[in-house]
Amino acid sequence: MSKKWLVAAGVAFIAFMAWGGSLPAAEHYESSITKGNTLLRKEMYQEALDAYEGAIQLKPDAFEAWYNKAVILDYLGKHSDAIASFEKAIQCKPGHYEAWYMKGMVLDHAGKYGEAVRAFDKALEIKPDYLKALHNKGNVLDHTGNVEAAIETYDRILAIQPDAFEVWNNKGLTLAKLPERREEALAAYNKAIAINPAYYEAWVNKGNCFVRLRKYKEALDACDKAIEIKPKEHAAWADKGFILADLGKHADSVTAFQKAIELKPDSYGAWNGKGLALDALGRYGEALAAYEKTIELQPDSYGAWANKGLAMSRLGRHADAVTAYEKALGIQPDSYETMTNKGGELFLLGKYDEALKSFDDAIKMRPDYPQVWKNKGWTLLRMGRFAEAVKSFDKVAQIIPDETASNVPRLAKIKYEALSNKGLALVQMQNYEEAVKTFDKAIGIKADVFSLWVNKGLALLQLKKYQDALDAFSKATTLTGDVHEAWNHKGYTYEEMGRQQEALEAYDKAVSLKPDYIEALNNKGLLLDAMGVLPSFYALARAAFVGGTL
């Protein structure tokens, strides 16, 4: 977890201090230690290791030899052997806090985090103010998700060294993991910045914390400050790109990502971000090219393949989108969202059985994912399997309670679409009473959807509830949509109610909105014929044709 430390003369290894009056065997031991230290400084690690092994042969209880051997073994990636060597060194000198600390470091490198913390604690038991042990203990605790203990450890350091701006920054990073403590994280970053105003990392982290708090303007200000400190640091420009995207400034976002790419052409994160910004601008071909560059740089990037699938879909290349999603799933097989997207593309290709299989696979991964149930329901509806479709749409309503729908617009949209489609399935099953109730539930979530009011009106017509149907169609005429259709339905409803003059006016309104609207012209003609005003619709249609409207 921690950064790999390099062996440096006089830092990581123990130098042997010779003294006079040594016996010959001891002189050989001293020579071996000195030789090992010299080779270590020259970075001749295997040769140094051999020298320390020779020293151990001469003096099996030699702390310095075991310690230095352990340092080299760890550097060479032989963590198990390094741990064993540090344990030998500690047996020689149980109270040597640096040996306990170094053992903790190796355990950290080996991924044995709990044991690493215990080793650091042992070092701190011997020397309570040992800052290196406190630093690394805090980092390990943070890495393993023991957030409160990590914060407590950082506070111990700050009690000893209040101006340790890097520790304030680390404390902020840990606090930021807890949604309810992100304001405290900002305070920690501000403390680090107050001590060191040019501390680039704290400005970056402060910006990221503002993003988590959805304070994008403040995040942008912090990011700009980081760029002012290190204008050639590509990561800050990439962060700026993402923040600008969050602010909806997608063109500026593209510019920021391009700057990051100029500074680091192989930054796959910047290329991927650029693709997302281009996608938001509707520049799908350019977005696709950016995702393909990301994949060139990072062939196993799940996100790039998934985003490529989205771009292919927007370009109408549904078969290619399926291929991209399959590549993404090969990298991350448990991605229920990508599996759902794959099913959506198969649906658009008319491969309904394969689409259903993808949706069912996604449901196995995440049974409470509402989007997949909605998509499955729509596929079943298209296949004429109406009862099964209703069950799928009901599942969406179970997953998204009304209170959640009222607070989360994205989920509200999924729920009202599921209810709307359930209503259509019920209409196909001729269960008009339930269909009307279902359309009303959808309207309760989103009352300004034209199609909901029209479909409700049509279901009410089947129930011969003409006034209620008329009210529904009247509402539809006030909304955005194919309003001419609502006027036509309104005219038909007036006819059923025996209000012929109002029916004619409604048909006229429909035709005024869409002069070539054959259905309304036909209905008007039939009504006029029934009223004895015209011999038939054909005279009306012919007049319209002569007038150039058909």
Side-chain angles (χ1 to χ4, degrees), residues 155-195:
D155 283 340
R156 281 182 64 183
I157 300 172
L158 294 168
I160 300 167
Q161 192 177 13
D163 61 348
F165 58 87
E166 291 179 338
V167 179
W168 282 108
N169 180 65
N170 288 347
K171 181 180 177 181
L173 285 168
T174 305
L175 286 163
K177 294 180 178 180
L178 302 172
E180 70 277 9
R181 301 191 70 178
R182 284 176 184 155
E183 292 293 343
E184 292 179 67
L186 286 175
Y189 296 135
N190 285 335
K191 189 72 176 178
I193 290 165
I195 297 166

Side-chain angles (χ1 to χ4, degrees), residues 261-275:
I261 290 165
E262 289 170 8
L263 292 168
K264 194 174 191 299
D266 63 347
S267 172
Y268 65 88
W271 279 105
N272 195 53
K274 181 181 177 181

